[in-house]
Amino acid sequence: MGIEAGRNAYVGSPVKRLEDLRLLPGKGRFVDDIRRENMLYAVILRSSIGHGLIRKIDTSAAEEMPGIHAVTTASDMGDDIPVVPLRLMPMAELEPLGQPAIARDKVRYVGEALAVVLADSPALGEDALSRIIVEIDPVDAAVNRQTAVAGNALLFEDWGTNKAVTYHATKGDVSEIFETADYVRRESFATQRHLALPLEPRGVLADWDADAEHLTIEGAAKVPFPNRKILAAMMELPVTSIDLIESDVGGGFGARGEFFAEDFLIPFAARLCGRPVKWTEDRRENLLTTGHAREMECEIEIACAKDGTILGLRGEVWVDAGAYFRTNGPISPRNVAQFMSGPYRVPNIDIKSHAMLTNKAPIGTYRGPGRFESDYFRERFFDIVAGELGIDPVEFRRRNLVAENEMPYSIAKIEPVERQEEFDSGDYHMVLDRCLEAFGWKEKEELRGLLIDGVYHGLAVGCFVEGGAAGPSENARVVLQEDGSVHVFVGSTAVGQGVLTVLTQIAADALELPLDQIKVFHGSTPFVSDGFGSYHSRSTVMGGSAILLAVEKLRAHICQAAAAQAGCEAENVEIVDGMVIARDKPPIALGDFAKDVPDVEETFHNHKHTYAYGTAAAHVTVDPDTGEVSVIDLLMVEDVGKIVNPLTLQGQAVGGLVQGLGGTFLEHMIYDDQAQAVTGTLADYLLPQSTSFPNIRAIMLEEKPSPIGPLGAKGAGEGGVLPMGGLMANAVASALSSFGVQPTELPLSPSYIWKLIRTAESKSDR
């Protein structure tokens, strides 16, 4: 069953966000808004040492303070401290590298939890932290790729190395290509550590009902059903004894809603003390302990024919994985290897990605994990290669893009968690041409490298793909109400992407009902029997498809009930504008069948990914005296298959562009040689503001629907982020072509670009 143009045609319409009717007037329900009678507040003592052996934690003075009800340490949890497991791509071999819920003998990064204080107020809890005596003997820290590889500071002595795992992406055979190719080039690149930084920090409220032996967790986001299973195993409870309740979320971006140590510590404390317990993260905790991302170095090599045809790609990537492998830590090291070739035809590939342990916060997923980095490495490299071959960078890309008649197109296979991927559909050349035309590339080409009014002008173009529709399934339940409305329950969650609006549109069209007769409930575990949440641009494709299946079955039940009343066949029954019409009988209101039809729950299964694709073009200026870059024009054109709501999609696209620009120019989580975070406040960790990048455009297309699923949608939550690093670095290189400047690392800070210019000038003076 698919969505077709009908009486409603909500799908494809720019319906304003239904969520905003609550959120804009300030009627949202965020986890810190929720109060419980007799509630205690949790405050967490965290390690100030990046790598050290714990000698003593004395909590007696804190426990004696008025208003302090308990102080929990590892000693209260028995001999076996629960470990945060891997949710995605689990490997038994990596289990020894999991993060303990609380440190017992050793700390491995600044911010790791040492104790949990339960107090009458957060302020009292903070005061109690200063009364806890902690003795930690510092040991040498591994703070970067070089020290991690050297192995002088081992995070896990029994493991014997700081290398956690190596992912290997292969296609074809590179053994002879690099010996016989007309052109071979090798280069090194690096991206900096930064992180998802939602407006709302994390929070957990846990309430234990001892009589019912039931735990209710408020503040769930992203993946409540998998997190419930993780928590149940860690607390040795049946899954049915735990409910995770979704609240409003002030942004997610891949990090918010994953399972962190606090997601065990707070429920554990609630059960221990028999009272509701709430913990709200402050911004420093957020910066120090949430999932970090992006810090990678690579050495890659390309082989080409004289005409620029790519023959092979090989190399190695070193991923700074932080101190532990938890929840979704494997994703970015895997993706950077498997998707290094991007949307291009590369017949021979051999890329190894090494995940290295260091004394920093563990990595997780951040919007476009591994793809932002691989896009930067690849697109930056392509401009260097095109320049050396004397080929226009646009033409170089055009020659190597996968053609539409090659779809589905298989990319590299990844091991050890073996997965074969293929692009589902698309006309990559069409999107490239649409972008160039809408950008005015031909008219602007003459600006490349020109000095006008004291600044140099540069242009660049970059192509990308983004994945969506992660399986294995999603659930939806539909319930017909006596007033003729329909309640829709779905496992997809809201992380700020407008899922309520989009799923309401899908359900309304499928039932041919007005929007106000559809009420969507999402995310919380009581709603459906199972669910998988929102990540990997999956909520529309997977949740929407599950709704279609459930609605189709509900319609069948209604038609059967009406046919039985009318004495006709079910195929002679129609549902039109909320009325049920059977043969020549008078129409019956839809709600009159509420007692005659059962609730319907259906599951949409999918083991293939969708792939949206696009091209971005940029015009920048660079001030040679300061190194400052100004974005004069930025356009992204992306084909996302079927568009459900162009208004919310536009917001996703522009928001992604800004987030990608922040990671390209500003954001940088810096650690010193003692594994201390230098940028631990928002005074030091720079973020884009609303006025930072005013000249941004996005054109979203639906030319090539996905053959995966009945909607034809591909998902589009990450596209805007992906091309920004490579695009902007290439635009800067274009502007500074007269200097021969070639950026090879991010961020493109004014100081970095200024140094590149000064270095180039000094070489030219010799």
Side-chain angles (χ1 to χ4, degrees):
M1 176 182 178
I3 289 286
E4 299 178 359
R7 295 179 179 85
N8 285 13
Y10 288 120
V11 170
S13 299
V15 175
K16 291 184 179 180
R17 283 170 40 110
L18 303 177
E19 296 90 333
D20 292 344
L21 297 174
R22 284 189 313 104
L23 296 176
L24 292 183
K27 297 179 181 178
R29 184 178 179 272
F30 298 87
V31 65
D32 200 39
D33 296 325
I34 304 170
R35 301 287 186 272
R36 289 285 183 270
E37 186 178 351
N38 208 29
M39 186 174 73
L40 296 177
Y41 294 85
V43 178
I44 299 174
L45 177 68
R46 300 185 180 278
S47 174
S48 60
I49 302 296
H51 197 195
L53 303 176
I54 300 173
R55 297 305 182 195
K56 179 181 180 181
I57 302 178
D58 184 350
T59 63
S60 56
E63 291 170 338
E64 293 171 358
M65 293 176 61
I68 303 302
H69 294 265
V71 181
T72 301
T73 65
S75 62
D76 299 302
M77 297 186 187
D79 295 332
D80 296 321
I81 303 296
V83 173
V84 178
L86 290 176
R87 176 178 69 84
L88 296 177
M89 294 178 57
M91 294 172 56
E93 299 94 319
L94 294 177
E95 289 180 3
L97 307 181
Q99 179 176 353
I102 196 166
R104 181 197 294 277
D105 302 314
K106 188 177 185 181
V107 292
R108 294 181 175 88
Y109 68 97
V110 171
E112 189 166 2
L114 297 171
V116 180
V117 175
L118 301 183
D120 286 335
S121 72
L124 285 173
E126 294 283 353
D127 289 343
L129 295 185
S130 64
R131 304 287 290 274
I132 300 175
I133 299 172
V134 178
E135 294 179 6
I136 299 176
D137 292 342
V139 297
D140 290 342
V143 295
N144 52 37
R145 164 193 165 187
Q146 288 72 28
T147 54
V149 170
N152 296 326
L154 291 178
L155 275 75
F156 293 86
E157 289 79 5
D158 293 343
W159 190 258
T161 175
N162 285 326
K163 181 186 290 186
V165 62
T166 293
Y167 295 98
H168 193 188
T170 56
K171 182 179 181 180
D173 185 357
V174 301
S175 57
E176 296 183 6
I177 295 298
F178 285 84
E179 302 298 326
T180 59
D182 297 323
Y183 172 87
V184 173
R185 178 68 153 82
R186 190 173 185 85
E187 187 57 81
S188 299
F189 301 99
T191 51
Q192 85 283 19
R193 175 172 289 247
H194 55 288
L195 59 144
L197 204 69
L199 183 64
E200 179 209 21
R202 293 179 292 141
V204 180
L205 194 165
D207 193 351
W208 170 252
D209 184 334
D211 293 334
E213 294 189 335
H214 190 274
L215 187 63
T216 302
I217 311 292
E218 299 274 3
K222 188 180 178 181
V223 286
F225 287 88
N227 283 356
R228 178 173 67 165
K229 294 173 185 176
I230 291 172
L231 181 59
M234 293 175 75
M235 296 194 69
E236 299 181 344
L237 288 170
V239 170
T240 52
S241 293
I242 301 176
D243 277 323
L244 268 65
I245 307 302
E246 185 186 41
S247 59
D248 289 318
V249 176
F253 313 126
R256 180 77 161 85
E258 282 295 334
F259 198 98
F260 294 91
E262 296 83 4
D263 295 294
F264 167 80
L265 291 174
I266 306 310
F268 176 86
R271 185 170 66 173
L272 190 68
C273 71
R275 293 174 61 174
V277 175
K278 182 164 71 171
W279 168 75
T280 304
E281 182 181 56
D282 65 30
R283 185 56 70 187
R284 180 166 174 79
E285 287 180 298
N286 180 248
L287 285 162
L288 291 180
T289 68
T290 193
H292 287 188
R294 309 287 201 223
E295 187 173 8
M296 300 187 189
E297 300 177 33
C298 78
E299 295 177 8
I300 52 176
E301 191 172 18
I302 194 169
C304 296
K306 289 180 181 179
D307 65 356
T309 301
I310 299 173
L311 304 175
L313 194 63
R314 69 182 180 184
E316 293 185 273
V317 184
W318 290 267
V319 180
D320 190 320
Y324 299 102
F325 249 46
R326 65 187 184 194
T327 56
N328 52 9
I331 299 303
S332 59
R334 184 206 72 166
N335 281 357
V336 72
Q338 189 169 30
F339 293 94
M340 186 71 77
S341 57
Y344 302 96
R345 185 190 309 101
V346 182
N348 303 288
I349 299 171
D350 192 312
I351 303 288
K352 291 180 179 178
S353 171
H354 311 290
M356 306 299 300
L357 299 173
T358 65
N359 293 111
K360 302 173 184 174
I363 63 169
T365 53
Y366 173 33
R367 203 172 188 179
R371 302 172 196 266
F372 172 90
E373 301 92 320
S374 64
D375 275 31
Y376 169 69
F377 300 149
R378 180 189 66 249
E379 296 296 319
R380 180 78 275 266
F381 200 17
F382 279 9
D383 264 31
I384 293 172
V385 170
E388 292 182 356
L389 288 172
I391 301 172
D392 182 82
V394 173
E395 181 57 30
F396 182 86
R397 288 168 172 80
R398 191 188 307 279
R399 292 179 188 178
N400 289 291
L401 282 171
V402 174
E404 184 179 9
N405 61 13
E406 296 175 275
M407 296 292 178
Y409 182 82
S410 295
I411 63 171
K413 180 179 69 175
I414 193 74
E415 296 174 314
V417 182
E418 186 171 327
R419 184 176 179 94
Q420 181 66 59
E421 291 284 345
E422 62 181 23
F423 300 149
D424 53 342
S425 64
D427 187 345
Y428 298 172
H429 291 87
M430 174 272 295
V431 168
L432 171 63
D433 291 337
R434 287 285 296 271
C435 182
L436 295 173
E437 181 181 2
F439 184 74
W441 183 269
K442 288 185 178 180
E443 295 79 6
K444 295 176 180 177
E445 270 190 299
E446 62 184 26
L447 292 173
R448 284 189 283 186
L450 287 185
L451 178 65
I452 303 173
D453 295 332
V455 294
Y456 288 91
H457 290 251
L459 302 180
V461 66
C463 304
F464 64 92
V465 290
E466 66 162 312
S473 61
E474 193 54 87
N475 283 39
R477 181 166 63 93
V478 292
V479 182
L480 178 61
Q481 305 296 308
E482 292 185 8
D483 63 358
S485 66
V486 175
H487 288 186
V488 178
F489 303 85
V490 67
S492 300
T493 52
V495 287
Q497 80 277 44
V499 68
L500 174 67
T501 305
V502 169
L503 296 185
T504 301
Q505 290 176 257
I506 292 170
D509 266 8
L511 287 159
E512 297 189 54
L513 291 175
L515 289 175
D516 59 8
Q517 286 188 240
I518 304 293
K519 189 170 181 60
V520 172
F521 302 84
H522 48 75
S524 297
T525 57
F527 290 158
V528 288
S529 61
D530 201 0
F532 287 85
S534 296
Y535 59 96
H536 196 255
S537 297
R538 74 184 305 276
S539 57
T540 298
V541 180
M542 299 297 294
S545 296
I547 288 171
L548 290 182
L549 294 179
V551 166
E552 183 178 25
K553 193 168 184 179
L554 178 67
R555 289 179 68 105
H557 282 308
I558 294 170
C559 289
Q560 288 168 3
Q565 287 187 20
C568 66
E569 298 296 324
E571 52 262 31
N572 294 324
V573 178
E574 289 186 288
I575 302 174
V576 180
D577 296 332
M579 303 299 290
V580 181
I581 304 170
R583 276 190 172 176
D584 55 354
K585 304 292 183 181
I588 303 173
L590 188 61
D592 290 348
F593 291 92
K595 295 179 179 179
D596 299 322
V597 299
D599 299 356
V600 174
E601 182 166 344
E602 284 292 308
T603 303
F604 176 69
H605 298 280
N606 172 47
H607 293 280
K608 291 186 177 182
H609 291 155
T610 57
Y611 286 94
Y613 56 95
T615 298
H619 173 199
V620 307
T621 62
V622 181
D623 187 330
D625 296 326
T626 65
E628 182 178 2
V629 180
S630 296
V631 178
I632 305 303
D633 191 11
L634 171 59
L635 171 66
M636 179 184 74
V637 177
E638 185 176 12
D639 187 350
V640 300
K642 180 66 178 177
I643 296 174
V644 177
N645 188 320
L647 190 62
T648 59
L649 177 62
Q650 187 75 9
Q652 285 282 297
V654 172
L657 290 169
V658 173
Q659 207 157 28
L661 289 168
T664 297
F665 289 111
L666 300 170
E667 300 181 54
H668 195 179
M669 177 56 72
I670 301 172
Y671 285 78
D672 66 15
D673 58 5
Q674 299 300 312
Q676 291 289 334
V678 177
T679 49
T681 73
L682 293 185
D684 309 297
Y685 186 93
L686 303 180
L687 289 166
Q689 301 180 18
S690 60
T691 57
S692 298
F693 305 107
N695 304 312
I696 294 175
R697 297 179 287 152
I699 298 174
M700 310 306 286
L701 307 176
E702 49 181 349
E703 298 294 329
K704 303 295 176 182
S706 174
I708 297 170
L711 279 168
K714 289 177 175 250
E718 300 173 328
V721 174
L722 303 181
M724 289 301 100
L727 183 72
M728 291 300 155
N730 286 336
V732 168
S734 169
L736 300 176
S737 57
S738 60
F739 295 89
V741 163
Q742 296 286 4
T744 57
E745 63 184 61
L746 297 179
L748 301 173
S749 64
S751 61
Y752 172 59
I753 295 172
W754 183 87
K755 289 176 183 177
L756 290 177
I757 296 170
R758 301 289 85 80
T759 300
E761 288 179 330
S762 65
K763 289 180 179 179
S764 65
D765 292 338
R766 294 173 187 170

